Amino acid sequence: MVIKRVYENKYGEEITEKDIEKEFNKIKEQAGKLFNSQLAKSGDTEAELKRKIKQQLAFKKGLETNVEVNQEKIQKIWETFHPEVKVQQIKFKNEEDAKKAKQSLDEGEDFSKLVKEKSIDQKSNSNDGKVTFHSHTSSVPEEVKEASFKLNNKDISDIIPVKNLMTKQTSYYIVKIIQNQEKGDDIEKYSDELKKIAIEKQLADQEFVKQSIS
């Protein structure tokens, strides 16, 4: 708390109401219908959440003053980079449910219908199961990303098992590709995106964060 207040005092004036509102709307959109209940559960009001967002943005702004992005780092990210794909996903608690759903899809069942009826992922369910991600998106399991990148538009994946290393529990996914794209050879086309990823990687590095605070 003290550190974040220090950063807010130094960098808070650089955070605009537009910045705060953008992040607030992003959180609200991701939570979907669960937003109000999650807000109540945390004990925050919308005003209190926006205050915390301002602190977090000021903290991030301060860390960014220490970020160094060079061509070597960009090139390293490019080697494993895949551009954004957009999918619909269904997440299952057990393999049996996933197999039944996969059979239904193979027989022509509507994917959106199964999202509503079967998926246990409440966040994406509020958006018809739609998720957008690239190769360095941390909120999507690596297994789901790897399977999605290999498919063409409108393809439906096989069942994708994902083991949570913390809980040792396995979830199961099926994805339908809405839009995939080839990376190609033009690194300049993605220069802004690659630079953003390079920055985010450093901001997620706890050793970098400790050094920056020091």
Side-chain angles (χ1 to χ4, degrees):
M1 273 180 65
V2 172
I3 288 170
K4 287 188 176 179
R5 287 183 66 180
V6 169
Y7 272 79
E8 184 180 13
N9 288 340
K10 185 167 178 61
Y11 298 100
E13 291 183 0
E14 299 180 37
I15 308 303
T16 66
E17 289 298 323
K18 186 177 179 181
D19 295 330
I20 297 169
E21 202 64 32
K22 181 180 177 181
E23 191 64 25
F24 176 81
N25 289 335
K26 183 179 174 182
I27 293 170
K28 194 170 184 179
E29 183 180 344
Q30 288 176 342
K33 295 176 182 178
L34 300 174
F35 175 74
N36 289 330
S37 61
Q38 288 180 352
L39 195 65
K41 189 175 181 180
S42 68
D44 288 333
T45 62
E46 289 193 3
E48 180 65 13
L49 176 58
K50 288 180 179 181
R51 187 189 70 79
K52 289 180 177 179
I53 288 171
K54 182 179 180 180
Q55 272 196 345
Q56 188 59 38
L57 290 176
F59 181 61
K60 184 177 179 182
K61 178 75 72 175
L63 294 180
E64 285 175 351
T65 62
N66 294 289
V67 168
E68 294 181 6
V69 177
N70 54 42
Q71 193 57 38
E72 183 180 349
K73 290 178 180 178
I74 295 292
Q75 187 64 44
K76 189 172 181 180
I77 292 169
W78 172 252
E79 290 170 5
T80 58
F81 174 74
H82 189 290
E84 275 192 349
V85 301
K86 188 173 184 180
V87 309
Q88 274 182 294
Q89 69 172 20
I90 311 173
K91 181 180 179 181
F92 304 90
K93 189 174 184 179
N94 59 66
E95 190 175 14
E96 183 181 353
D97 289 346
K99 285 181 176 179
K100 288 179 181 177
K102 177 59 175 160
Q103 183 176 348
S104 296
L105 290 167
D106 289 342
E107 293 170 355
E109 183 63 271
D110 181 65
F111 200 94
S112 295
K113 181 173 180 288
L114 288 180
V115 170
K116 292 177 183 177
E117 293 178 355
K118 304 296 183 182
S119 184
I120 62 171
D121 184 26
Q122 295 179 323
K123 283 188 178 180
S124 65
N125 288 1
S126 64
N127 191 33
D128 197 26
K130 292 175 183 174
V131 183
T132 301
F133 54 86
H134 53 63
S135 51
H136 290 75
T137 301
S138 59
S139 58
V140 176
E142 289 297 321
E143 297 91 335
V144 172
K145 289 191 287 187
E146 289 175 12
S148 299
F149 296 153
K150 296 174 183 176
L151 299 173
N152 298 314
N153 293 344
K154 298 184 180 179
D155 281 353
I156 295 176
S157 73
D158 292 328
I159 296 168
I160 308 166
V162 175
K163 187 170 184 178
N164 187 313
L165 297 179
M166 298 289 289
T167 64
K168 307 300 182 185
Q169 299 293 315
T170 300
S171 299
Y172 300 85
Y173 290 76
I174 299 175
V175 299
K176 179 180 180 180
I177 306 301
I178 299 172
Q179 185 177 20
N180 197 355
Q181 54 183 322
E182 295 291 333
K183 179 169 79 168
D185 300 319
D186 186 7
I187 189 173
E188 292 301 321
K189 179 180 177 181
Y190 301 102
S191 59
D192 290 343
E193 196 169 351
L194 294 170
K195 183 178 179 181
K196 184 178 178 182
I197 292 170
I199 291 171
E200 293 298 330
K201 283 176 74 69
Q202 287 192 57
L203 294 179
D205 183 339
Q206 292 305 305
E207 189 58 36
F208 165 80
V209 173
K210 284 194 282 188
Q211 289 176 0
S212 297
I213 291 172
S214 297

